[in-house]
Amino acid sequence: MDNRALTRAFRLAAQLLELHGENPFKIRAYEGTASALEALSFPVADVERTGLPDRTGLSKTAAAKVAEMLDTGSFEELDRLLATTPPGVVELLKIKGIGPKKIRSLWKDLGIEDGAQLRTAAENDEVSKLKGFGQKTQQSILDALDFTDQSRGKLLYPQGEELAHELLARLEAAPGTERA
């Protein structure tokens, strides 16, 4: 597991904590862990598990969660949060410009649990009637949903390049391959 995947997991945990209205200090701790991982210039997976706090500057608690993530692909808190959050609501977190607090309002007040329901509610002018929302926010949500729909299935160049290198390595390792 690379540093980017670890960073994404800890950012997701922070967003889910905020979505569920958990302790703000805990949220900041997860965001801090994500930022610390993002700033590292070496792969965390290469570090001896017991040396994580010293080499990465993470607290012992955060380092233990990183080690758990490296060993199992997840950590207990993230699993708990994902189990208590509908998958569609987790997908809403990926929509640009809509943060966890707004998604919590949409989820709890309007019962919106996916992008299709959000689009319908915005098109029916239900979103703008919520506290903290307005016509401008509602239009921004519709624009963000349009952008997300247009971007579906597309990759950023660095992601595509990484996949291409992985494919090339597999082709070169395949028996009988003369040239790739």
Side-chain angles (χ1 to χ4, degrees):
M1 179 172 287
D2 67 354
N3 290 9
R4 283 187 302 184
L6 289 166
T7 301
R8 282 193 303 272
F10 281 91
R11 285 231 161 84
L12 176 61
Q15 289 178 318
L16 290 171
L17 284 168
E18 191 171 350
L19 181 73
H20 288 283
E22 302 253 351
N23 184 334
F25 296 106
K26 197 173 191 180
I27 295 167
R28 260 189 262 140
Y30 278 101
E31 289 170 346
T33 301
S35 296
L37 290 168
E38 192 173 47
L40 294 175
S41 59
F42 56 88
V44 177
D46 296 347
V47 177
E48 181 74 30
R49 301 295 187 259
T50 56
L52 277 172
D54 297 330
R55 294 276 319 274
T56 60
L58 296 172
S59 69
K60 288 182 181 179
T61 305
K65 288 180 182 172
V66 169
E68 184 180 352
M69 184 88 185
L70 289 169
D71 294 338
T72 66
S74 189
F75 57 95
E76 189 178 330
E77 182 85 17
L78 180 60
D79 292 338
R80 179 187 68 79
L81 291 164
L82 287 170
T84 58
T85 310
V89 174
V90 175
E91 287 298 312
L92 291 177
L93 290 168
K94 296 177 183 175
I95 298 172
K96 187 178 179 188
I98 310 171
K101 288 179 183 175
K102 289 208 182 287
I103 291 172
R104 180 176 55 221
S105 293
L106 293 165
W107 177 31
K108 299 295 183 181
D109 298 340
L110 291 180
I112 292 172
E113 292 190 359
D114 62 32
Q117 290 176 346
L118 178 57
R119 180 180 295 284
T120 302
E123 288 172 347
N124 293 335
D125 199 30
E126 296 171 23
V127 173
S128 66
K129 294 179 175 93
L130 284 175
K131 183 180 179 195
F133 291 80
Q135 287 295 327
K136 190 173 178 181
T137 303
Q138 182 170 269
Q139 187 56 48
S140 296
I141 288 171
L142 285 170
D143 294 343
L145 287 168
D146 289 342
F147 178 79
T148 301
D149 289 344
Q150 291 170 358
S151 302
R152 199 171 310 276
K154 296 181 182 177
L155 297 173
L156 295 173
Y157 184 83
Q159 295 167 322
E161 187 176 37
E162 186 178 318
L163 289 172
H165 287 298
E166 288 176 21
L167 178 61
L168 180 62
R170 286 183 184 198
L171 288 172
E172 290 173 339
T177 301
E178 293 180 24
R179 186 172 160 217

